[in-house]
Amino acid sequence: MSSGQPLKPLPRDQDRDREPTLTIAQVAERTGLSHDTLRYYEKAGLIERVGRTTGNQRRYQAADLAWLEFLLRLRETGMSIADMQRFAALRTAGNITVADRLAMLREHRAELADRIRALRRNATVLDHKIDHYEQLLLDEVEHEQPGSDETT
Amino acid sequence: MSSGQPLKPLPRDQDRDREPTLTIAQVAERTGLSHDTLRYYEKAGLIERVGRTTGNQRRYQAADLAWLEFLLRLRETGMSIADMQRFAALRTAGNITVADRLAMLREHRAELADRIRALRRNATVLDHKIDHYEQLLLDEVEHEQPGSDETT
DNA sequence: CCTTGACCTGGAGCGCGCTCCAGGTTTTAC
DNA sequence: GTAAAACCTGGAGCGCGCTCCAGGTCAAGG
């Protein structure tokens, strides 16, 4: 979608392709994942084998990063590694799996809605308990010194 | 739930058979926890030592159950066992720890609010992805048969 | 009484999601 | 060219939160 004009300050050496690439350290910093986790995800099949230099070092491309960030959304919404593996496998299998992937996402989305609702219910229980403790503290103060100086 | 200290109809003697008690199996069923988990929680200090029969079998009282259910709210909102241990220890230590317990709950509540917000943000990302896949499916159908019969 | 099933204890084991290590190779900075 | 930093692989290890097991004791029905 663009030209191949050598007008940019290219990073040296191994980057002969048009697209800029990132080392594992750079991806780690950007995603918040550790080097080990990135390698683990690749070994586990969550991400397809990342491109390498001639010296076998990983060079991530923009698409890898985008996929990683989506994986992180799945992870943060509580999807297990096993399910992410399934999803990734479908993705690797190509367009014929779009319906399956959609089904997975819809189900996950529904579970997420349930979990958010449950958390909100539990939050109100916490709020009640907090109110209760606040009242206890007030009562204590009253009993000790009904209307005197206090240090917050 | 407020102001309830001196008016309890205490069974002053150690004869508490008046109060109904529950076996571990009954508590397991009511809470959804397994027998093993209940024993584990007790061993870990999340709940104080439960009363026993002369034959050393646990008999839970209403207060035990209420505390367990509150623990479950903490657990479901993501509090670690270690933090629940801290909270339980404060509770065991008595009223002087009310301020500390309040502080813990407030912090936990704030983290919970953060997590709910994050989940909602992620939910919208999922929604976009779902929309995207739906569009892909539509496009596929169009390309195959631009306006013809389809079997659902 | 006896049987059966619920319960007890201490401790080992497990599944998950990483995290660390050893020992080696590659890249970078000077 | 050389030293240091970054990276590689396979595999072991870890922390969490249970879960299971062995080997018993206890309780309720017939």
Side-chain angles (χ1 to χ4, degrees):
Chain A
M1 222 51 88
S2 68
S3 51
Q5 292 160 358
L7 291 178
K8 301 183 224 171
L10 277 174
R12 293 192 189 137
D13 253 19
Q14 80 282 13
D15 195 6
R16 297 148 200 280
D17 292 346
R18 313 108 197 114
E19 186 168 351
T21 61
L22 297 169
T23 66
I24 196 169
Q26 290 167 325
V27 173
E29 187 175 8
R30 260 161 236 229
T31 59
L33 297 170
S34 71
H35 304 192
D36 278 327
T37 300
L38 284 168
R39 288 191 274 253
Y40 164 67
Y41 279 7
E42 189 176 335
K43 192 160 26 172
L46 294 189
I47 52 186
E48 291 181 65
R49 184 176 168 84
V50 166
R52 312 284 164 129
T53 65
T54 55
N56 197 36
Q57 296 200 354
R58 288 171 180 79
R59 287 298 116 94
Y60 293 77
Q61 296 179 240
D64 298 321
L65 201 57
W67 170 240
L68 266 171
E69 309 233 293
F70 182 65
L71 276 184
L72 285 184
R73 299 309 125 226
L74 295 181
R75 186 183 77 164
E76 284 169 17
T77 50
M79 186 179 283
S80 66
I81 296 274
D83 280 352
M84 288 194 280
Q85 284 172 331
R86 272 168 222 126
F87 193 86
L90 289 175
R91 183 170 175 268
T92 301
N95 284 334
I96 47 168
T97 66
V98 165
D100 291 340
R101 280 181 268 165
L102 180 55
M104 275 195 77
L105 283 191
R106 278 180 175 153
E107 188 181 335
H108 183 61
R109 180 65 178 84
E111 289 168 4
L112 177 56
D114 288 347
R115 286 200 13 259
I116 290 173
R117 272 191 293 274
L119 286 181
R120 284 153 69 80
R121 272 199 311 277
N122 286 326
T124 72
V125 174
L126 287 186
D127 287 337
H128 291 329
K129 196 77 168 189
I130 286 170
D131 288 348
H132 172 65
Y133 277 132
E134 283 170 346
Q135 196 54 53
L136 275 186
L137 275 186
L138 283 182
D139 291 353
E140 271 178 26
V141 170
E142 269 172 30
H143 285 182
E144 279 174 28
Q145 295 273 344
S148 181
D149 60 12
E150 68 265 23
T151 53
T152 307
Chain B
M1 294 243 175
S2 61
S3 77
Q5 293 160 352
L7 286 181
K8 265 197 205 164
L10 274 176
R12 286 187 140 209
D13 299 324
Q14 44 189 4
D15 190 319
R16 299 197 156 186
D17 294 332
R18 302 297 169 197
E19 181 163 352
T21 61
L22 297 170
T23 67
I24 196 169
Q26 290 167 324
V27 173
E29 188 175 8
R30 260 161 235 228
T31 59
L33 297 169
S34 71
H35 303 191
D36 278 327
T37 300
L38 283 169
R39 288 191 273 252
Y40 165 67
Y41 279 7
E42 188 176 334
K43 193 160 26 173
L46 294 189
I47 52 186
E48 291 181 65
R49 184 176 170 85
V50 166
R52 313 284 163 126
T53 66
T54 55
N56 198 34
Q57 296 198 355
R58 290 171 179 80
R59 287 299 118 93
Y60 293 78
Q61 297 178 235
D64 298 322
L65 201 57
W67 171 241
L68 266 172
E69 309 235 292
F70 182 64
L71 276 184
L72 285 184
R73 300 309 125 226
L74 295 181
R75 186 184 76 164
E76 283 168 20
T77 49
M79 186 179 284
S80 66
I81 296 274
D83 280 353
M84 288 193 280
Q85 284 172 332
R86 272 167 222 126
F87 193 85
L90 289 175
R91 181 168 175 270
T92 301
N95 285 332
I96 48 168
T97 66
V98 165
D100 291 340
R101 280 181 267 166
L102 180 56
M104 274 195 79
L105 282 192
R106 277 179 175 155
E107 188 181 336
H108 184 61
R109 180 66 179 83
E111 288 168 5
L112 176 56
D114 287 348
R115 287 200 14 258
I116 291 173
R117 272 192 292 275
L119 286 181
R120 283 152 72 79
R121 273 199 310 277
N122 286 327
T124 72
V125 174
L126 288 186
D127 287 338
H128 291 329
K129 197 77 167 188
I130 286 170
D131 289 349
H132 172 64
Y133 276 132
E134 283 170 346
Q135 196 54 54
L136 276 186
L137 275 187
L138 284 182
D139 290 354
E140 270 178 25
V141 171
E142 270 173 29
H143 284 181
E144 277 174 30
Q145 296 277 345
S148 181
D149 59 12
E150 68 262 27
T151 52
T152 313

